[in-house]
Amino acid sequence: MAFLPFYIPKHKKLKVVIVGGGYAGIAALTTLLRYAPDTDITLVDPKEQHIKITHLHETFRYPLTDLLVPFADIENRYGCRHISASVNFDQDKLQEYQAEKLLVVDEEVLNFDYLLIASGCESRTMDSIENVLSLQDFTISAGSELLTKWLNKNNQSEQSVSVIGGGATGIQFLFEIKQFLNRIKSKAELRLIHSGEHVLEQFPSGFGAYAQSRMHDMDIAFYPGTYYRGQQSGTVLLTEKQTRKQFELPSSISILFLGKKQQGIFTANAFGQVVVDQKPLQNIFTAGDCSYYQSIGSNTLTAQSAVRKGKLSARNILRHAGFPGLLEPYLHHELGYVVSLGSADAVGWLGLESNLVTGISALAIKELVEVQYDLLLVGIDTYLV
């Protein structure tokens, strides 16, 4: 369907406003300009740079700057405009936006032909307290800097680090932290606290079994079926899931990976157009983690799905604006998924979920996916679907 003819221009140069400069927003921007280079694009995002957020665990090995692409560079490269601002959409006003074709951002009126909402969703957080880090902290400072700072601050004879959450993000950070502690010759104990009985429970069972065997090999303590209650100075507070028994362990720092908090989700039809009162808004599209498509395509909260939704929304904006106006349904299914287990190991699947891939083979797949997105950032689209 991606190869259907589209965008035979009817008349004027298009004005498109994209809210959100994450994976979906950038994929939409590059796709629009690939097929319609004269499109007038305004990108609205409160940050000053695009962050390849799914690679933050690698900042225990590399500088954070390796994962940042300043929006100023994107402006220069693509001739678009970036506005540093947050937009809180009132879903009750979406029909008004559709009718008036304008959005007010920081008292500036932005007229548009099409609006793409790709604002993502936030990570779940708890109240900010001392000796606790979350994913947001790693968007500001590299993991190596943060952990070194906290270990030096809590210069005790016996130190320990508690990672909370055994999903993909928590596991990737866990193994990077272990290897970092080994490199700096730290004797700090590393443990994983997880409410489930097995890690990586959203994936085929082989994922969790492999990751847990590697945890055992690397002497990472595992506390399954355990709830995190909080961190006090030098202590992590826990509760056993089954017995509700409360206990505590010495902990210099707790690092929380509690998953994503989906708020303000926009329902879309199979073409990416936002649906309000069971009717699609013809000129307002959505993509990324803030979107739910009413189609057989994947709605998982992954960079892979975000990129595919962003690209599809861009193609459908051009189709809708041009002739013959035939829109493409969202049919994408995950082609595979890889979870990094440090610098030299990984576990994943490719093609079929039953096709488990580990070690160097899984790492090679991961590298290919990363290169593909890096090429997209500079305007080279190698995605076939």
Side-chain angles (χ1 to χ4, degrees), residues 150-294:
W150 284 105
L151 291 175
N152 290 340
K153 183 177 179 180
N154 298 276
N155 192 17
Q156 305 161 336
S157 57
E158 294 185 2
Q159 296 182 316
S160 53
V161 177
S162 301
V163 173
I164 316 299
T169 302
I171 288 297
Q172 292 188 137
F173 270 86
L174 180 77
F175 281 89
E176 291 287 352
I177 290 170
K178 180 61 178 178
Q179 293 183 5
F180 175 73
L181 293 173
N182 289 343
R183 284 198 301 274
I184 66 173
K185 295 180 169 45
S186 170
K187 295 182 179 180
E189 178 189 359
L190 178 63
R191 68 173 67 95
L192 176 68
I193 311 297
H194 183 50
S195 60
E197 293 304 316
H198 306 282
V199 303
L200 302 175
E201 291 166 312
Q202 69 272 46
F203 301 105
S205 58
F207 273 55
Y210 185 78
Q212 286 179 213
S213 71
R214 298 297 295 126
M215 288 164 56
H216 181 268
D217 293 342
M218 299 176 73
D219 199 26
I220 299 172
F222 182 35
Y223 290 80
T226 303
Y227 291 125
Y228 168 82
R229 288 189 293 118
Q231 166 83 29
Q232 293 181 346
S233 57
T235 304
V236 61
L237 307 178
L238 305 168
T239 299
E240 290 183 357
K241 184 177 181 179
Q242 291 292 333
T243 65
R244 299 292 172 175
K245 177 183 176 182
Q246 297 184 354
F247 66 105
E248 58 188 53
L249 294 170
S251 181
S252 307
I253 184 172
S254 287
I255 308 177
L256 310 185
F257 301 105
L258 305 178
K260 294 180 178 179
K261 177 176 61 177
Q262 283 192 283
Q263 293 181 332
I265 299 301
F266 298 91
T267 299
N269 61 13
F271 310 117
Q273 295 166 311
V274 173
V275 173
V276 175
D277 294 335
Q278 299 182 338
K279 295 180 180 179
L281 302 180
Q282 298 295 314
N283 298 73
I284 301 180
F285 288 73
T286 185
D289 289 349
C290 68
S291 66
Y292 180 84
Y293 282 24
Q294 296 173 327

Side-chain angles (χ1 to χ4, degrees), residues 21 26 29-30 33 43 49-50 69-82 377:
I26 295 299
L29 182 149
T30 56
L33 295 176
L43 179 65
Q49 59 267 319
H50 168 69
V69 181
F71 286 127
D73 290 354
I74 292 174
E75 286 180 303
N76 293 333
R77 181 180 300 148
Y78 293 109
C80 60
R81 180 191 177 201
H82 169 240
L377 279 172

Side-chain angles (χ1 to χ4, degrees), residues 61 176 179 210 214 340-346 358-361 363:
R61 289 180 273 144
E176 291 287 352
Q179 293 183 5
Y210 185 78
R214 298 297 295 126
S340 170
L341 305 180
S343 60
D345 199 2
T358 61
I360 298 299
S361 299
L363 276 177

Side-chain angles (χ1 to χ4, degrees), residues 326-345:
L326 180 64
L327 302 189
E328 170 190 352
Y330 178 65
L331 304 175
H332 171 72
H333 287 279
E334 301 287 333
L335 304 176
Y337 197 91
V338 176
V339 177
S340 170
L341 305 180
S343 60
D345 199 2

